[in-house]
Amino acid sequence: MAVTRFAPSPTGYLHIGGARTALFNWLLARKSGGKFILRIEDTDTKRNTPTATEQVKKDLSWLGINWDEGPGIGGENEPYLQSQRRGIYDKYMAKLLAEKKAYYCFETAEELNALRKQAEIAKRNFTYPRPEIFPNDSDVKKAEAAGKPAVIRFAMPFEEIIVSDVIRGEVRFAAGEMGDFVIQKSDSFPTYHFACVVDDELMGVTHIIRGQEHLNNTPCHQALQDSLGFSRPIYAHMSVTISQTGGKLSKRERPKALRNAIKAKAEIDIEKLAKAAGITTDEINEFIAGKTIPDMPAIDAMAEFLGVVLPEINVIDFFRNGYLPETMVNFMALLGWNPGGDKEIMPLEELLDCFDISRFSKSNSLFDRDKLISFNTEYIRTISKEKLLAHFKSYLCEIDSVANKANDVLLAKILEICEGARTLADIERKCRFLFLQNDKIEYDPKAVKKILLKNDGLAILQIIAGKIEAMQEISAEKIENMLRNMAEEKQLGLGKIAQPLRVAICGNTISPPIFESVNMLGKENTLARIDITLRTFEGKAHG
RNA sequence: GGCCCCAUCGUCUAGGUAGGCCUAGGACACCGGGUUUUCAACCCGGCAACAGGGGUUCGAAUCCCCUUGGGGCUACCA
């Protein structure tokens, strides 16, 4: 019976690395019949964003990761927001202070930085110089009166610390390697290290699966656990997921990509860009200079304005780009973990079936978008029609598509004829033409030139129009027969006949299969679109 | 700079804890071919790896050491 938790800080959207951590902790809890706790680590008041907790809950739910205890649903370990647990931390903090295992200090950031610099020059590891005698109550009052910041540091015991890790084995940290770290900030909030250790103990967390970036924190956490008389959870430090550009996959990826895109463009109208993003030109210039990062809607707006595609980092990015939650879960599970053998496509239930904490790999893995797409293609092809329809509907709603108004029957039909699509976005793009006004079709210039203005494209269209006109009512079958007969009569490939029709009804050369497309669009609309096309490009043909 | 982690095809990886089953398997990508009304999808075939150097051993992808390379941490962020 494993009790695990996912403990994000509410700083924005749930990113893929966080989701992966959540998934593995969830898998372990479910597999062992234990429980999975959601805890919000909001001890950094400066970085918290108000909607983040709700967003994280939404993103986890989309993935199908549910929690037994957490904000909103409560549980025996309430509350689940660390900002609401300060009384608890204060109690343990006081204990440490009373036992002289922690102490106050008053340096400013500048003073500390100077010390760090000195250490670096001397090629030494910086550790805080612990005073011989810890400051007492009156010292604290004096410092506060003088306006000095007061933080509490934990007095690290001087001894070798061995971290026993499920994935890495025994990792040794020499005595004195880890200095006295801050456990309470000057705003009197506990730091992550302290709050996390206390909560994990109180909530009965037995296993902690987290990223390798925490491995160096673990000796500190263990020392804290020992000093407080806590038990020690089992640790598993996973490999990190790296992006294609090298380096940890992080939320900084998107702003970085956007900044590079802006710099790469020779001429950019900063004012227009600012307007599109809803921010000031000063803010843009600071962003370009690398000083600040605008919020996500502004980033997205700028990317759209410039026509650049940003790498997906947040769970919601994948949702908005047409990936299925099933795809994401399966793919994330295979980043740094695998069940052995050749099997790759495994839905959540199967994953649960074969999950084994001892099968994590040690080396970092690269996030391969090509493989992700192929997984998505596979899932679109194989999940049930009902699930696919539900996913498609929520996708259309999320991106506010013109297809949003379609009913379930139509949508199901679209899904059926778009078999083989790689993402929901592909399907949406392909079928969008069905929902546009006849005179709102945008013609792709290349398609017009290549298909309509050459090889008698317009003349063929004219003939097709006549044949459709003559039909009492149309069907996919009738359209198919008509086009095939025509191709045969004219001694042409079907493509030569079908392509002009395709361009006429949807404006480009990409659409669902043509017979069904015409059928779904209907006789009247098809004729109207052919008519508009003919009138628009009449007389422009050449050769 | 200091500390920590890691190292099999371009990528994700199987194999490594019990060394011979590995002339190293699968998947994605790529290349060639087939199918085809567009884009996809689908089918068949192909290319492609144990980072380098020392050991240990009858025998090493598998164990040990060094080098090199990659990654992480180094905050009053989590």
Side-chain angles (χ1 to χ4, degrees):
Chain A
M1 278 261 289
V3 176
T4 63
R5 45 71 170 178
F6 176 53
S9 59
T11 55
Y13 294 87
L14 177 63
H15 60 96
I16 207 74
R20 181 175 78 126
T21 304
L23 173 64
F24 285 124
N25 281 289
W26 180 90
L27 242 18
L28 179 63
R30 290 286 171 271
K31 173 89 186 185
S32 69
K35 68 183 175 185
F36 179 65
I37 301 170
L38 178 63
R39 183 175 75 216
I40 305 298
E41 309 220 322
D42 55 349
T43 54
D44 186 350
T45 49
K46 292 180 286 294
R47 299 202 321 161
N48 291 342
T49 42
T51 55
T53 299
E54 282 313 305
Q55 186 61 46
V56 164
K57 284 159 72 175
K58 253 200 222 164
D59 291 340
L60 287 173
S61 301
W62 181 70
L63 291 167
I65 297 173
N66 56 354
W67 50 97
D68 305 303
E69 295 179 24
I73 61 168
E76 55 180 309
N77 296 297
E78 280 187 303
Y80 296 92
L81 261 55
Q82 288 187 329
S83 58
Q84 294 172 7
R85 301 173 61 82
R86 294 177 65 184
I88 299 170
Y89 309 129
D90 288 348
K91 223 174 63 198
Y92 287 98
M93 196 67 74
K95 182 169 177 252
L96 245 28
L97 243 18
E99 291 171 1
K100 302 267 181 222
K101 289 173 178 169
Y103 60 94
Y104 274 96
C105 33
F106 314 103
E107 285 78 11
T108 61
E110 293 73 40
E111 289 168 322
L112 252 16
N113 282 337
L115 288 172
R116 277 197 195 93
K117 214 164 211 172
Q118 270 179 30
E120 188 161 345
I121 290 166
K123 296 182 192 284
R124 265 189 303 110
N125 171 31
F126 170 76
T127 53
Y128 182 82
R130 187 187 304 170
E132 300 267 331
I133 301 161
F134 294 168
N136 58 30
D137 286 355
S138 76
D139 293 325
V140 176
K141 286 205 180 83
K142 249 186 272 169
E144 275 170 358
K148 284 184 172 176
V151 303
I152 300 175
R153 282 176 191 271
F154 175 65
M156 274 298 271
F158 189 82
E159 62 193 20
E160 182 189 49
I161 298 178
I162 299 173
V163 172
S164 178
D165 186 276
V166 176
I167 302 170
R168 323 255 152 208
E170 290 191 346
V171 183
R172 289 161 184 274
F173 295 86
E177 185 57 42
M178 300 298 169
D180 296 350
F181 57 98
V182 174
I183 52 178
Q184 187 179 93
K185 304 183 255 187
S186 58
D187 63 4
S188 81
F189 270 87
T191 60
Y192 154 73
H193 304 290
F194 193 78
C196 162
V197 162
V198 170
D199 286 346
D200 285 339
E201 167 75 11
L202 264 32
M203 295 181 178
V205 171
T206 59
H207 294 69
I208 297 177
I209 303 174
R210 48 160 50 152
Q212 194 207 156
E213 64 269 22
H214 288 289
L215 186 54
N216 292 289
N217 295 148
T218 311
C220 298
H221 295 181
Q222 289 194 359
L224 223 34
Q225 285 154 3
D226 292 349
S227 291
L228 258 7
F230 291 171
S231 56
R232 180 161 304 160
I234 293 166
Y235 287 104
H237 287 94
M238 304 183 290
S239 59
V240 171
T241 306
I242 338 194
S243 80
Q244 258 125 344
T245 52
K248 192 168 65 160
L249 197 66
S250 82
K251 56 187 162 198
R252 287 179 288 277
E253 199 90 0
R254 284 165 74 79
K256 205 166 81 186
L258 179 65
R259 186 180 291 136
N260 289 340
I262 294 176
K263 284 182 178 171
K265 300 224 174 188
E267 292 161 32
I268 279 187
D269 190 332
I270 300 282
E271 261 177 50
K272 274 190 187 163
L273 185 62
K275 208 167 178 191
I279 59 179
T280 67
T281 52
D282 285 351
E283 281 173 310
I284 294 219
N285 284 323
E286 288 198 357
F287 167 58
I288 297 171
K291 285 181 196 153
T292 56
I293 295 176
D295 58 10
M296 186 158 140
I299 297 273
D300 284 342
M302 283 190 270
E304 200 183 326
F305 179 78
L306 297 170
V308 297
V309 178
L310 264 24
E312 303 98 340
I313 296 300
N314 298 313
V315 168
I316 196 170
D317 300 332
F318 291 96
F319 177 28
R320 288 182 182 155
N321 285 354
Y323 292 90
L324 267 35
E326 286 84 354
T327 305
M328 299 314 297
V329 164
N330 194 159
F331 191 74
M332 286 191 297
L334 257 25
L335 284 171
W337 181 88
N338 77 81
D342 292 339
K343 199 151 191 199
E344 288 195 320
I345 297 291
M346 290 165 291
L348 200 52
E349 313 79 62
E350 251 175 88
L351 239 23
L352 203 47
D353 217 41
C354 62
F355 181 72
D356 178 352
I357 195 173
S358 72
R359 289 205 56 90
F360 279 102
S361 57
K362 296 175 178 177
S363 47
N364 292 167
S365 47
L366 206 119
F367 195 88
D368 183 354
R369 290 193 162 71
D370 285 332
K371 189 145 179 164
L372 209 221
I373 287 192
S374 106
F375 268 48
N376 205 51
T377 309
E378 181 70 14
Y379 272 101
I380 285 182
R381 191 172 53 223
T382 53
I383 64 166
S384 72
K385 289 196 165 48
E386 295 72 37
K387 276 188 187 166
L388 187 59
L389 177 62
H391 287 325
F392 192 45
K393 283 168 75 174
S394 48
Y395 170 75
L396 294 177
C397 183
E398 175 69 22
I399 66 159
D400 198 21
S401 166
V402 286
N404 218 349
K405 56 192 171 195
N407 63 36
D408 284 10
V409 178
L410 215 204
L411 254 20
K413 184 76 187 163
I414 286 170
L415 257 10
E416 197 186 313
I417 64 172
C418 285
E419 156 192 55
R422 312 192 63 128
T423 66
L424 297 179
D426 284 351
I427 301 175
E428 195 273 344
R429 271 194 294 272
K430 259 191 197 178
C431 72
R432 200 181 280 166
F433 77 98
L434 287 170
F435 306 95
L436 297 176
Q437 298 284 329
N438 290 335
D439 56 358
K440 289 280 168 12
I441 297 295
E442 287 180 29
Y443 297 94
D444 171 19
K446 270 190 220 148
V448 170
K449 200 173 160 199
K450 198 176 155 201
I451 308 293
L452 294 181
L453 305 184
K454 278 186 185 166
N455 302 322
D456 297 325
L458 292 175
I460 289 169
L461 255 190
Q462 188 77 260
I463 299 171
I464 292 174
K467 299 207 179 204
I468 294 178
E469 184 89 65
M471 291 178 185
Q472 281 278 327
E473 56 183 34
I474 64 168
S475 70
E477 206 186 352
K478 282 184 186 167
I479 296 294
E480 173 164 8
N481 288 337
M482 182 267 285
L483 292 176
R484 285 196 192 283
N485 288 340
M486 203 171 146
E488 207 165 312
E489 279 168 30
K490 291 196 168 292
Q491 300 275 305
L492 288 170
L494 187 52
K496 288 276 184 291
I497 306 292
Q499 285 299 73
L501 179 56
R502 197 187 305 278
V503 176
I505 64 169
C506 70
N508 59 55
T509 57
I510 301 171
S511 85
I514 190 68
F515 317 131
E516 272 302 346
S517 292
V518 171
N519 182 41
M520 289 175 81
L521 187 60
K523 182 177 167 182
E524 299 309 317
N525 289 330
T526 302
L527 287 173
R529 288 185 191 191
I530 293 177
D531 186 50
I532 292 169
T533 304
L534 252 19
R535 277 190 281 124
T536 307
F537 300 105
E538 207 107 75
K540 291 182 183 161
H542 51 80

